[in-house]
């Protein structure tokens, strides 16, 4: 029987913060797959034959731009005392983007974090990178993503963790699942990833709903594609490189959007239709 969780904490970077799935309540804030997963878990928690004694609780400590040092350091230190029975740990993506990276060192640090979480009795949800084989300039990351994916599955096997396998999600190989920056998921992408996360946790889902590719779209004229690539380079790639050269991050001076483990009622979050 699939476990029903009563509390959930997400730690990580922009992926778990929810960029770019806008929260209509707060300008510059986002919802995302972790919020959507929390809502689904809250529904399961309160949907049993007997009303639960306590409401489902949720915290999200993820902050855009944060590297693994923060995720398995400060964020994990804040998360563990909360005593949640499910923790999603998705970190290292910003480290992997650097020109030089030790993937085995990243795996060792993630494994140590998983051990700490599992020692509390909580379940752990990890997430692989996507397969960037057809992602233009990002395709060069494929060897790193592949090794990192293998390391994550090895960690999960050794410690009984769950894995959200984005590497094999064919639906995410479509640019329509991504925002204009080509790095963060669109609202539809986040919706599908939340369903895939439920599936990874052993909750029955309609896999075709989240895994099947969209119908093929007509190819835009070459001139239009060139103009769009230039716009992307100016508005997104250039600023990203500039931040790296100056040692800045998009998450500098930002705090977690949901820093406390507080009650979350089903339907409370304003997801789009």
């Amino acid at each position: 029987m699939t476990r029903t969780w009563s509390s959930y904490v997400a730690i990580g970077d922009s992926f778990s913060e929810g960029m770019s799935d806008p929260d209509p309540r707060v300008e510059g804030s986002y919802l995302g797959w972790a919020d959507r997963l929390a809502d689904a878990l809250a529904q399961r928690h309160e949907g049993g034959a007997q009303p639960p004694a306590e409401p489902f609780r949720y915290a999200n400590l993820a902050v855009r731009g944060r590297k693994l040092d923060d995720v398995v350091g400060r964020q994990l230190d804040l998360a563990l005392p909360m005593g949640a029975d499910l923790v999603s740990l998705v970190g290292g993506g910003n480290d992997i983007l650097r020109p030089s990276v030790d993937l085995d060192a990243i795996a060792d640090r993630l494994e140590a974090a998983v051990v700490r979480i599992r020692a509390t009795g909580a379940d752990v949800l990890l997430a692989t990178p996507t397969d960037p084989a057809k992602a233009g300039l990002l395709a060069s990351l494929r060897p790193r993503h592949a090794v990192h994916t293998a390391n994550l599955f090895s960690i999960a096997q050794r410690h009984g963790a769950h894995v959200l396998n984005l590497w094999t999600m064919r639906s995410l190989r479509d640019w329509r699942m991504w925002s204009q920056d080509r790095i963060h998921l669109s609202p539809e992408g986040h919706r599908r990833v939340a369903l895939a996360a439920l599936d990874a946790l052993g909750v029955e889902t309609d896999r075709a709903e989240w895994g099947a590719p969209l119908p093929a779209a007509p190819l835009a004229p070459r001139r239009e594609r060139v103009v769009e690539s230039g716009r992307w380079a100016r508005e997104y790639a250039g600023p990203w490189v500039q931040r790296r050269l100056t040692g800045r991050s998009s998450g500098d001076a930002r705090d977690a959007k949901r820093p406390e483990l507080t009650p979350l009622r089903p339907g409370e979050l304003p997801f789009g239709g």
Side-chain angles (χ1 to χ4, degrees):
M1 179 179 296
T2 304
R3 179 175 180 179
T4 298
W5 294 271
S6 62
S7 51
Y8 165 42
V9 178
I11 62 176
D13 51 32
S14 60
F15 176 66
S16 297
E17 183 187 346
M19 293 177 72
S20 296
D21 182 12
D23 184 339
R25 301 169 299 180
V26 183
E27 184 176 358
S29 186
Y30 299 96
L31 296 167
W33 73 270
D35 284 14
R36 293 166 185 269
L37 173 61
D39 179 74
L41 296 176
Q43 292 181 43
R44 285 175 50 80
H45 178 68
E46 298 196 7
Q50 296 294 330
E54 298 290 338
F56 183 84
R57 296 177 299 152
Y58 171 51
N60 190 317
L61 307 180
V63 179
R64 67 194 74 171
R66 296 301 166 86
K67 295 171 67 177
L68 192 60
D69 281 347
D70 186 70
V71 177
V72 301
R74 183 190 61 85
Q75 288 185 35
L76 183 59
D77 288 343
L78 291 171
L80 290 177
M82 293 181 181
D85 51 19
L86 174 65
V87 178
S88 64
L89 165 58
V90 188
N94 289 313
D95 302 75
I96 291 173
L97 290 171
R98 268 50 185 184
S100 178
V101 61
D102 186 337
L103 294 173
D104 291 332
I106 286 178
D108 289 344
R109 299 191 66 193
L110 285 169
E111 183 162 18
V114 170
V115 169
R116 290 181 65 191
I117 299 168
R118 293 292 285 148
T120 71
D123 285 325
V124 177
L125 177 64
L126 303 172
T128 75
T130 57
D131 182 354
K134 298 181 179 180
L137 293 175
L138 300 177
S140 62
L141 293 171
R142 196 181 197 214
R144 294 185 181 189
H145 279 197
V147 171
H148 188 55
T149 293
N151 285 340
L152 289 171
F153 272 103
S154 298
I155 293 168
Q157 185 178 51
R158 286 193 288 269
H159 302 289
H162 303 270
V163 181
L164 168 55
N165 187 1
L166 303 179
W167 181 269
T168 58
M169 273 187 73
R170 292 184 300 151
S171 59
L172 295 185
R173 298 171 191 173
D174 189 318
W175 283 121
R176 289 172 289 179
M177 293 294 173
W178 299 85
S179 69
Q180 289 186 337
D181 67 10
R182 305 183 186 181
I183 296 174
H184 301 105
L185 292 167
S186 66
E188 175 62 12
H190 279 288
R191 186 188 73 82
R192 291 190 179 219
V193 166
L195 290 172
L198 277 174
D199 192 85
L201 291 170
V203 178
E204 185 175 353
T205 64
D206 179 357
R207 294 187 177 183
E209 182 182 355
W210 53 265
L214 293 172
L219 185 65
R222 183 177 183 278
R223 178 177 175 81
E224 185 177 323
R225 285 181 278 133
V226 169
V227 170
E228 173 59 23
S229 293
R231 185 194 63 81
W232 173 77
R234 290 191 306 273
E235 295 184 13
Y236 299 106
W240 184 87
V241 171
Q242 183 63 25
R243 287 196 299 271
R244 296 303 171 272
L245 292 175
T246 57
R248 294 181 292 113
S249 165
S250 57
D252 287 348
R254 280 196 170 270
D255 296 320
K257 66 179 183 180
R258 196 178 178 103
E260 304 293 336
L261 194 65
T262 53
L264 176 70
R265 297 293 184 183
E268 175 183 324
L269 297 173
F271 304 124

